[in-house]
Amino acid sequence: LNFLTPTETRTHFAAWCIVSSPLILSHDLTNDTVMDAVWPIISNHEALAVNDAWVGDAGILVKKSEEMVPFTNCAWGFNQYCQHAASMVWKKQLPNGRMAVLLMNNRNTTANVSISWHDDLPPDLQFRCLPDGCPVRDIYAHKDLGVYDKGFTAADVAPHDSAFIIVQ
């Protein structure tokens, strides 16, 4: 069997969070090595808050690249059916006019993944930004990244990794 890397696990967990999915753990909770590896991911209170937030939006895909890449970590040996967009951007509306955004790099190489506030997100978000742009917070690092006027680019996203942000 092929298992997810720690990076893939983080992206996988964020993807479930952004679509408001029930979060189910499928590993041995008595295995301390596994728990030590996944605990920072599954206990991220900001990611969990995105999953729990509900304002009528379960999270949707808002942008994907035309370039397709194969996933070789597919279950049941059906790798020929595992073609995915090389990059994907998902969004979920949050309370108080905020929005969670997941920028995924599905490539086997490092890449930038971008979102445009005007072109990729619903028009109502544009009116909630400050006059000079939208404040952005990194969910993984638990820190504010600054204000971005036209959009946000997650630079040098590692293979199968992601950036998980809150647009405030």
Side-chain angles (χ1 to χ4, degrees):
L1 287 173
N2 292 321
F3 295 99
L4 299 177
T5 67
T7 298
E8 292 167 336
T9 298
R10 179 171 84 160
T11 297
H12 186 245
F13 188 75
W16 285 121
C17 286
I18 202 143
V19 296
S20 304
S21 175
L23 300 174
I24 300 168
L25 302 178
S26 62
H27 58 275
D28 182 356
L29 300 176
T30 65
N31 182 324
D32 290 339
T33 302
V34 171
M35 286 304 296
D36 288 346
V38 300
W39 188 253
I41 297 167
I42 65 174
S43 67
N44 182 328
H45 66 277
E46 292 185 57
L48 293 170
V50 168
N51 179 266
D52 290 343
W54 183 254
V55 292
D57 181 3
I60 62 168
L61 179 67
V62 293
K63 180 180 175 182
K64 66 180 182 175
S65 65
E66 290 185 24
E67 175 191 358
M68 301 296 281
V69 294
F71 272 19
T72 57
N73 209 8
C74 294
W76 310 294
F78 295 116
N79 290 339
Q80 70 269 23
Y81 301 111
C82 291
Q83 293 283 325
H84 294 280
S87 65
M88 296 178 176
V89 178
W90 294 78
K91 73 89 184 163
K92 178 183 178 183
Q93 189 70 45
L94 302 176
N96 303 318
R98 299 173 308 133
M99 184 162 302
V101 178
L102 179 63
L103 301 105
M104 299 171 62
N105 175 20
N106 296 326
R107 295 173 181 85
N108 291 322
T109 59
T110 298
N112 295 342
V113 184
S114 298
I115 186 166
S116 162
W117 305 149
H118 180 71
D119 297 332
D120 300 327
L121 292 176
D124 60 333
L125 178 66
Q126 298 166 32
F127 301 115
R128 293 190 177 114
C129 289
L130 301 172
D132 57 340
C134 297
V136 173
R137 180 167 178 80
D138 184 330
I139 292 174
Y140 293 148
H142 307 290
K143 71 177 186 177
D144 295 330
L145 300 178
V147 176
Y148 295 81
D149 63 343
K150 294 186 181 352
F152 179 79
T153 297
D156 301 322
V157 178
H160 303 187
D161 202 357
S162 57
F164 199 13
I165 61 172
I166 301 283
V167 182
Q168 302 187 31

